[in-house]
Amino acid sequence: MGTRERERDLELLIPVATVSENGASKSSSVPTAALSHHHSGREAFAKVIRSWASKKFMTGCVILLPIAITFYITWGFIRFVDGFFSPIYHHLGINIFGLGFITSITFIFLVGIFMSSWLGASVLTLGEWFIKKMPFVSYIYTASKQISIAISPDQTSNAFKEVAIIRHPRSGEYAFGFITSSVILQSRMEEEELYCVYVPTNHLYLGDVVLMSSKDILRPNLSVREGIEIVISGGLSVPQILTTVDARALPTGGVQKLCKTKSCMV
């Protein structure tokens, strides 16, 4: 019995020459079940390794990509600002990288101090008067100034008063917007106060202006700066929970007085 079992095991492990019907000899292969099991095990192991490697690679990309973009944009900004005054230093024989950048930042700071004074405001007003006389340049300057005023740290001059959520462009869909002003819509029988809501469609540069009643506007508990971050980030910085607050009074005196004196009729 022991000899037969040993011979049977050898037949399973070692190919044995067999004779076919036409007399030709051919070798029997290793059992198919053992080969397929071994092959499937190697494939499963390879899949696990590939999945683990791809996940770790993507994790590294997710971590390093924003860091690389931040450093790239920051470096480009430094070189751009440094290029304003660095040619002057190069002409004087001073080759110190970063000196032009420091000079530019100091210059911007001094301009801010000067323009905050009465004399600076007068100079700015005169310069704006000349710019507005130019046909094409005036439109670019006006649009750029509105955007800069919207994100200005001076809260008294903000073009964006509040963050708003409105039903736009159709029922069942909501959009982030910014309340910019209010108007009094007068008819022959009654008058209604409407709010101008600016809904950005291309970051902050382009968008729709919608006139809406106060009861159709949802006011989330977000500051204007947080609303701008939501728009610029493409919605990535939206809080998981948004709460609405009661309507707050807006400084709309100039617009309302203009409508009352000129009788905005519809």
Side-chain angles (χ1 to χ4, degrees), residues 151-164:
I151 60 177
S152 172
D154 186 8
Q155 297 298 323
T156 59
S157 62
N158 272 358
F160 296 160
K161 310 300 181 184
E162 288 184 76
V163 180

Side-chain angles (χ1 to χ4, degrees), residues 47-263:
K47 288 182 179 179
V48 171
I49 294 298
R50 284 197 299 267
S51 177
W52 178 84
S54 62
K55 287 181 179 179
K56 298 304 178 183
F57 180 79
M58 291 304 299
T59 302
C61 290
V62 169
I63 294 174
L64 293 178
L65 183 62
I67 298 176
I69 292 175
T70 302
F71 275 101
Y72 179 78
I73 295 176
T74 304
W75 179 252
F77 174 76
I78 292 175
R79 294 187 62 182
F80 174 76
V81 177
D82 184 76
F84 286 106
F85 289 95
S86 58
I88 299 176
Y89 290 112
H90 288 315
H91 183 72
L92 297 175
I94 303 174
N95 298 320
I96 301 177
F97 179 78
L99 187 58
F101 175 78
I102 296 174
T103 306
S104 300
I105 296 299
T106 305
F107 176 76
I108 294 172
F109 179 73
L110 294 176
V111 168
I113 295 177
F114 176 71
M115 289 302 172
S116 300
S117 63
W118 175 83
L119 181 60
S122 301
V123 174
L124 180 62
T125 303
L126 182 62
E128 288 182 343
W129 183 82
F130 281 107
I131 291 176
K132 289 180 180 179
K133 295 299 180 180
M134 303 177 184
F136 180 72
V137 178
S138 60
Y139 296 107
I140 300 176
Y141 177 78
T142 302
S144 303
K145 184 179 179 181
Q146 291 296 326
I147 296 173
S148 62
I149 290 176
I151 60 177
S152 172
D154 186 8
Q155 297 298 323
T156 59
S157 62
N158 272 358
F160 296 160
K161 310 300 181 184
E162 288 184 76
V163 180
I165 298 177
I166 63 174
R167 292 177 175 86
H168 180 78
R170 59 183 64 88
S171 179
E173 297 183 4
Y174 294 86
F176 277 100
F178 300 93
I179 299 176
T180 57
S181 61
S182 68
V183 297
I184 301 296
L185 184 64
Q186 292 182 343
S187 62
R188 296 179 181 178
M189 300 297 297
E190 60 182 5
E191 64 180 28
E192 182 181 5
E193 184 179 18
L194 299 177
Y195 288 95
C196 293
V197 181
Y198 175 72
V199 182
T201 56
N202 183 11
H203 293 289
L204 290 175
Y205 306 106
L206 297 175
D208 300 328
V209 178
V210 184
L211 291 176
M212 302 194 69
S213 176
S214 178
K215 63 178 181 292
D216 297 326
I217 299 175
L218 299 176
R219 291 173 168 83
N221 190 18
L222 296 172
S223 65
V224 174
R225 191 171 298 276
E226 290 173 338
I228 293 175
E229 290 177 358
I230 290 173
V231 173
I232 294 178
S233 66
L236 295 177
S237 61
V238 178
Q240 293 184 353
I241 299 177
L242 288 174
T243 58
T244 58
V245 296
D246 296 333
R248 289 170 285 186
L250 297 178
T252 59
V255 179
Q256 293 181 358
K257 289 178 182 178
L258 181 62
C259 287
K260 289 181 180 178
T261 54
K262 291 190 176 181
S263 298

